[in-house]
Amino acid sequence: MPRPEVMDRTAGFLKKSLETMPHAKRLDYLNRKLKAVVQHAYKHSTAFKNKMESVGLKPKDIQTMKDLEKIPITKKADLVELQKRNPPFGGFEAVPIETLRRIYVSPGPILEPGEAEYEDLGWAQAMYAAGFRPGDIVINTFSYHMVPFGMQMVDNSLRQAGCIVVPTGVGNTEQQVNIMKSLRVNGYCGTPSFLLNLAEKAEEMGFDCLKDLNLQVAFVAAEMLPESLRFKLEEKFGMMIRQSYGTADIGCLGYECREKNGMHIPDDRIVEIVDPMTGKQLPPGKTGEIVSTTFNKIYPLIRFGTGDLSYLTDSPCPCGRTSPRLAKILGRVDQVTKVRGLFVHPGQADEVASKHPEIRKYRVVVTRKEHKDEMTFQVELKEEVSQPEKLKSEIEQSIRDVMKVRGEIQFVSKGAIPEGAKKIEDRRTWE
Ligand SMILES: [Zn+2]
């Protein structure tokens, strides 16, 4: 096979008919898949049947994605608890155990039934969108032990994308650099920080990442990817780096395309953004918990709460994919505070602070006065500024833009915000 050394890696689709479905067709497609998986899970998964019965639901009550709101959300902690009570899988599996190929173990501990034939396309779509093409030689530096991600998900998805895998796993940086050089490896799967480790090791070994190595594309996950790090690594290797998001339980829930404007939701998946308090679905633009439903017949998790926060965007993407996108991951549900009816979370506060280089340290304090929430943004400055009032109103504007809620700025003296202070401190009492 000719090696894809020089080619346009930004064009095309892995499954064009799925990835470019018009909105109405997509809804219809997902509703049909949902009905089928609900029927299947009700029949074969005792845990799902119990979940439905606990709220008086029958499969016929779930006809559309909107109906999902009626089904209670399953959280990771519930999964751990149910697995303890009803080992090994808590009754969420929908096939006899003897038909499984592998059993994976994730932190928790949570046991995951591994399919005999991996058919899920989510991560493979992510890889294609990241620029991986058939014939690429790829190092998979995710761990192959215990957890399903490296072996079941990434390794199989690379095969679906037509790539050749070198299953290097994590660690052994010097050996990995030598492998990259001798095999002219052009793809990388792993965390962003491990790619940085490899770059540093290669340089220490006297190589020029751009000239001596041949990396062209990277699929990164399992860690936040700061833009500064992406830029640094893309420059160093002369490559394209795209990130994905997902969970070990369900698989890929979002992936970046060439446009880097959020993460497309894979097509064989339902992703809801819900109010963490009520479980009700939120419209695009509103921040809430990411809750997902898979159509996997072996392990049909329906309404699985990830505990991560994001919001959806459904503006058209120039890449041609029509699925809605998750904006970046904004933090964890347990860090969220509600101020005047709106969710406020540390990720937003970080964003505000990042717009103003004068800020050395900050914390958000939420209080309550005469039955009204008040939000104060305490700020330590790097040094005194000549026009503090001007800066104050600029930061207040950023708060309105990013957090959608009004906040007051209070400049405090250096050291007033203790080391390790919570980014959002809720001082409200509810007597
Ligand atoms: Zn796109």
Side-chain angles (χ1 to χ4, degrees):
M1 194 188 298
R3 290 290 304 279
E5 298 276 325
V6 182
M7 62 188 311
D8 179 7
R9 293 174 175 275
T10 64
F13 307 91
L14 184 72
K15 291 278 175 216
K16 189 173 183 200
S17 59
L18 282 180
E19 291 169 33
T20 61
M21 277 186 285
H23 180 69
K25 197 175 164 201
R26 177 177 297 280
L27 278 184
D28 183 57
Y29 176 81
L30 292 175
N31 286 337
R32 265 189 296 126
K33 291 277 226 183
L34 173 63
K35 278 192 275 187
V37 78
V38 165
Q39 293 273 0
H40 172 82
Y42 191 85
K43 198 167 165 193
H44 300 285
S45 151
T46 52
F48 181 67
K49 190 172 184 207
N50 291 342
K51 183 156 116 158
M52 292 281 277
E53 282 178 347
S54 72
V55 287
L57 287 175
K58 291 271 191 256
K60 66 169 172 38
D61 298 317
I62 309 302
Q63 296 291 320
T64 67
M65 287 193 279
K66 184 71 186 158
D67 294 329
L68 276 171
E69 285 186 343
K70 302 173 192 168
I71 303 176
I73 292 169
T74 302
K75 294 187 185 299
K76 206 152 207 153
D78 304 331
L79 217 50
V80 174
E81 195 45 47
L82 282 164
Q83 290 200 346
K84 268 191 215 147
R85 265 191 271 153
N86 183 14
F89 305 117
F92 283 97
E93 76 283 13
V95 292
I97 194 166
E98 55 274 19
T99 64
L100 298 176
R101 171 139 187 232
R102 298 193 178 97
I103 294 171
Y104 297 98
V105 186
S106 289
I110 291 179
L111 301 172
E112 277 125 7
E115 301 149 68
E117 294 295 331
Y118 187 78
E119 289 173 348
D120 193 289
L121 279 179
W123 296 116
Q125 288 184 301
M127 286 159 187
Y128 198 92
F132 288 66
R133 292 295 179 268
D136 278 335
I137 296 182
V138 179
I139 49 170
N140 176 11
T141 72
F142 287 111
S143 171
Y144 272 73
H145 302 132
M146 308 280 259
V147 295
F149 189 53
M151 182 158 163
Q152 166 161 280
M153 296 183 174
V154 176
D155 193 282
N156 279 312
S157 301
L158 283 165
R159 182 178 168 81
Q160 289 167 342
C163 302
I164 301 134
V165 187
V166 193
T168 54
V170 77
N172 303 312
T173 47
E174 186 169 334
Q175 199 182 0
Q176 301 228 22
V177 170
N178 285 327
I179 290 167
M180 284 200 284
K181 188 160 184 338
S182 60
L183 283 174
R184 290 189 62 71
V185 165
N186 34 17
Y188 169 87
C189 289
T191 61
S193 58
F194 192 65
L195 183 56
L196 180 65
N197 287 352
L198 290 180
E200 285 165 357
K201 177 56 80 177
E203 283 167 354
E204 194 187 302
M205 290 161 72
F207 296 129
D208 178 324
C209 292
L210 195 58
K211 290 198 198 115
D212 298 322
L213 300 176
N214 190 36
L215 275 190
Q216 295 175 23
V217 282
F219 160 95
V220 299
E223 255 180 29
M224 291 288 190
L225 172 64
E227 281 308 316
S228 54
L229 180 58
R230 172 169 12 217
F231 181 75
K232 180 176 169 177
L233 290 169
E234 283 188 333
E235 286 281 290
K236 208 179 256 301
F237 286 103
M239 76 192 304
M240 179 160 96
I241 300 174
R242 291 295 177 272
Q243 62 183 329
S244 290
Y245 161 78
T247 82
D249 322 271
I250 289 201
C252 184
L253 301 182
Y255 62 87
E256 283 183 331
C257 65
R258 63 170 194 236
E259 304 289 333
K260 293 191 286 188
N261 55 3
M263 293 182 279
H264 284 283
I265 295 168
D267 305 282
D268 276 330
R269 196 79 84 240
I270 292 173
V271 171
E272 303 165 82
I273 295 291
V274 310
D275 181 320
M277 316 287 165
T278 65
K280 296 286 181 223
Q281 294 168 3
L282 295 171
K286 295 269 185 246
T287 299
E289 181 176 4
I290 303 168
V291 170
S292 180
T293 294
T294 158
F295 304 136
N296 181 329
K297 292 274 172 70
I298 315 272
Y299 192 35
L301 287 177
I302 294 172
R303 282 211 115 194
F304 182 74
T306 62
D308 291 323
L309 292 167
S310 185
Y311 59 89
L312 287 171
T313 166
D314 56 3
S315 62
C317 185
C319 78
R321 290 175 182 82
T322 52
S323 61
R325 306 189 296 286
L326 285 173
K328 58 184 178 234
I329 305 305
L330 295 161
R332 298 285 299 168
V333 166
D334 49 18
Q335 301 168 325
V336 149
T337 312
K338 222 171 183 180
V339 179
R340 292 197 285 274
L342 287 168
F343 291 112
V344 168
H345 49 84
Q348 289 174 315
D350 284 342
E351 197 178 331
V352 171
S354 73
K355 288 174 189 281
H356 303 278
E358 301 87 348
I359 297 177
R360 190 180 88 89
K361 215 169 165 192
Y362 76 86
R363 106 174 125 181
V364 178
V365 178
V366 185
T367 52
R368 209 161 157 82
K369 199 171 162 191
E370 288 161 3
H371 302 294
K372 278 186 189 148
D373 294 335
E374 297 198 334
M375 187 173 84
T376 309
F377 215 90
Q378 294 184 335
V379 171
E380 283 184 28
L381 293 174
K382 283 183 187 147
E383 51 200 41
E384 275 192 22
V385 292
S386 53
Q387 292 177 287
E389 287 309 314
K390 183 166 171 277
L391 179 60
K392 216 176 216 181
S393 68
E394 284 168 1
I395 303 175
E396 279 171 356
Q397 184 60 47
S398 300
I399 291 174
R400 275 196 296 276
D401 291 345
V402 175
M403 303 174 109
K404 317 286 182 208
V405 63
R406 218 162 21 79
E408 200 177 300
I409 305 301
Q410 184 186 22
F411 290 131
V412 296
S413 55
K414 264 189 194 169
I417 300 172
E419 282 306 323
K422 274 197 205 164
K423 285 182 177 168
I424 298 182
E425 191 171 303
D426 193 345
R427 291 186 188 161
R428 287 172 296 188
T429 55
W430 300 95
E431 282 108 38

